[in-house]
Amino acid sequence: MTIGFVVNDIHTERPGYATIFLAQRMHNLGHTVFLMGVGDLAYYPDGYMGATAVQADPKHKYKSPATYLDAIQGEKAIQVRVTAPDLDVLMLRNDPSAEGEGRAWAQNAGIIFGQLALRHGVIVLNDPTSLSDAVNKMYFQHFPEAVRPRTLITRDKEEIKQFFQEQKNNIILKPLQGSGGSGVFMVKKNDSTNLNQIVEAISRDGYVIAQEYLPQATEGDVRLFVVNGEALQHKGKYCALRRVGAKDDIRSNLHAGGSAQSVKVDQTMLDLVELVRPKLIQDGMFMVGLDIVGNKLMEINVFSPGGLSDVSELEGVDFSTPIIEALERKVHYKNTYGTQIDNKTVAMI
């Protein structure tokens, strides 16, 4: 199997990232693995999308994601021009919301080039047509109301004040676009002194999400991986971890200083998976991360859910194994059926 991973930038990847974890494992199994940043993508005169990609030494097996990353970021990395016909699978692992100032062009690049790859029979995951609808947190509102906290999305300061007054507890304010805990604030019920300033700061860059505060958030949130519409399991264990925020920080994201702890997946969490499963299947969302607090979802990460290596270490189970096996099956189905089945269907079987 030949697979390409699209990331924001090769040089900003880190050993603990789920993409590097998966790529290293696949490389060691003998699959051909290419990594490419969104800035490396291209459309060539022969009508194919492609990229100037990097590859580690195919003859060498790497002991860890860290040594593999060194190989693709170092001087010995193999640079090669790859086009769609060379690939069986293209995994879009770049996070549009993580693009900094001056890189607005990069936010939709993976999606656009992923859609071009579909034309040549490449399996593109997650489905790029659906990802185009998920470039901000509004996508979350398409899921059943039963799984979501009470939410208002607006730029109107007065509407947010009214929403705040209606709540029995604190509220959370955050930007519609963003990830990794960036720009997330809590306004306490008995202290709304900074409400105006927070709303003004967030709304300068777009819409504001005002959300009911879930008291269970003090215990952190649970990141649960869902693959093919099912809670990911391997050797009797679920691929999930609890993310606990740093002291005096409401954010539990690992990139924002949160810590990872093992967690027992209960029926409430599995019921949430069942509720979002039909929409994930419909949209061809092969691998996503559910962020759970109590009996609600705080977010569905469809672009680049992280924590795969952390939970594998915590549970003593290599969760890359069932993911890679699922990809191998998809390639087999695609080779067997060709154009008879579309990308969204292949993504979820």
Side-chain angles (χ1 to χ4, degrees):
M1 177 170 62
T2 302
I3 184 166
F5 287 94
V6 177
V7 297
N8 292 70
D9 188 314
I10 298 292
H11 299 290
T12 58
E13 289 296 293
R14 299 289 180 265
Y17 285 7
T19 303
I20 301 303
F21 179 69
L22 279 172
Q24 180 251 342
R25 296 298 201 266
M26 294 184 74
H27 174 94
N28 283 0
L29 288 172
H31 297 294
T32 301
V33 181
F34 299 107
L35 274 90
M36 56 201 82
V38 290
D40 303 318
L41 297 169
Y43 181 81
Y44 296 112
D46 57 10
Y48 296 127
M49 69 74 60
T52 302
V54 294
Q55 180 186 17
D57 184 353
K59 298 177 182 178
H60 186 79
K61 293 188 185 299
Y62 296 89
K63 292 182 179 180
S64 68
T67 56
Y68 174 79
L69 184 62
D70 286 342
I72 63 171
Q73 288 181 336
E75 295 179 357
K76 294 184 179 180
I78 301 168
Q79 289 201 348
V80 57
R81 189 178 108 161
V82 178
T83 59
D86 301 319
L87 299 171
D88 294 308
V89 179
L90 184 67
M91 287 201 74
L92 303 178
R93 293 283 303 172
N94 61 300
D95 183 356
S97 64
E99 294 295 351
E101 188 176 347
R103 280 177 58 94
W105 57 267
Q107 292 182 345
N108 293 318
I111 293 170
I112 294 167
F113 283 94
Q115 290 172 344
L116 290 173
L118 290 179
R119 293 166 45 188
H120 301 288
V122 182
I123 300 170
V124 183
L125 306 169
N126 291 335
D127 183 79
T129 307
S130 296
L131 285 180
S132 66
D133 297 328
V135 290
N136 59 50
K137 294 184 177 73
M138 189 69 81
Y139 177 70
F140 187 36
Q141 305 310 119
H142 291 282
F143 288 84
E145 187 176 350
V147 307
R148 298 182 275 112
R150 184 170 171 77
T151 300
L152 167 70
I153 301 175
T154 183
R155 297 186 77 248
D156 189 312
K157 190 188 306 179
E158 295 306 315
E159 287 182 339
I160 294 173
K161 284 182 180 178
Q162 183 178 343
F163 178 82
F164 174 69
Q165 291 166 2
E166 291 170 354
Q167 302 310 304
K168 296 179 181 179
N169 208 321
N170 311 331
I171 65 167
I172 297 295
L173 297 176
K174 55 188 176 182
L176 182 60
Q177 291 187 272
S179 68
S182 176
V184 180
F185 300 89
M186 180 168 67
V187 181
K188 294 184 178 181
K189 189 63 180 174
N190 59 359
D191 183 11
S192 60
T193 309
N194 296 321
L195 179 61
N196 285 343
Q197 294 95 316
I198 294 171
V199 173
E200 287 173 5
I202 297 175
S203 62
R204 275 199 293 266
D205 295 321
Y207 286 91
V208 180
I209 296 177
Q211 204 166 61
E212 70 169 314
Y213 174 72
L214 301 176
Q216 300 96 323
T218 56
E219 303 168 7
D221 67 3
V222 172
R223 163 60 59 86
L224 174 61
F225 277 83
V226 175
V227 170
N228 281 342
E230 303 275 2
L232 180 60
Q233 292 186 78
H234 188 48
K235 295 185 177 180
K237 296 185 177 182
Y238 284 101
C239 187
L241 55 78
R242 184 177 297 281
R243 305 182 302 179
V244 180
K247 188 177 181 181
D248 299 325
D249 195 331
I250 61 170
R251 303 170 299 171
S252 54
N253 308 73
L254 299 183
H255 291 165
S259 59
Q261 300 175 1
S262 61
V263 65
K264 179 177 174 58
V265 172
D266 58 25
Q267 191 58 48
T268 298
M269 299 175 194
L270 297 178
D271 288 344
L272 288 172
V273 175
E274 283 302 306
L275 284 173
V276 300
R277 172 179 159 81
K279 175 69 172 168
L280 295 177
I281 291 174
Q282 181 184 53
D283 291 350
M285 296 297 184
F286 163 63
M287 183 166 73
V288 306
L290 304 186
D291 296 342
I292 303 170
V293 172
N295 64 350
K296 300 288 185 180
L297 291 177
M298 297 304 294
E299 195 169 333
I300 299 178
N301 188 318
V302 299
F303 282 98
S304 57
L308 197 60
S309 59
D310 296 288
V311 69
S312 293
E313 185 176 343
L314 282 170
E315 297 294 341
V317 171
D318 189 344
F319 285 105
S320 72
T321 300
I323 296 172
I324 295 169
E325 290 173 351
L327 293 171
E328 291 169 341
R329 286 194 300 272
K330 292 178 195 303
V331 172
H332 172 69
Y333 292 141
K334 186 67 175 179
N335 290 339
T336 303
Y337 283 90
T339 57
Q340 293 181 60
I341 49 176
D342 63 19
N343 190 71
K344 289 180 181 177
T345 302
V346 176
M348 303 305 292
I349 58 176

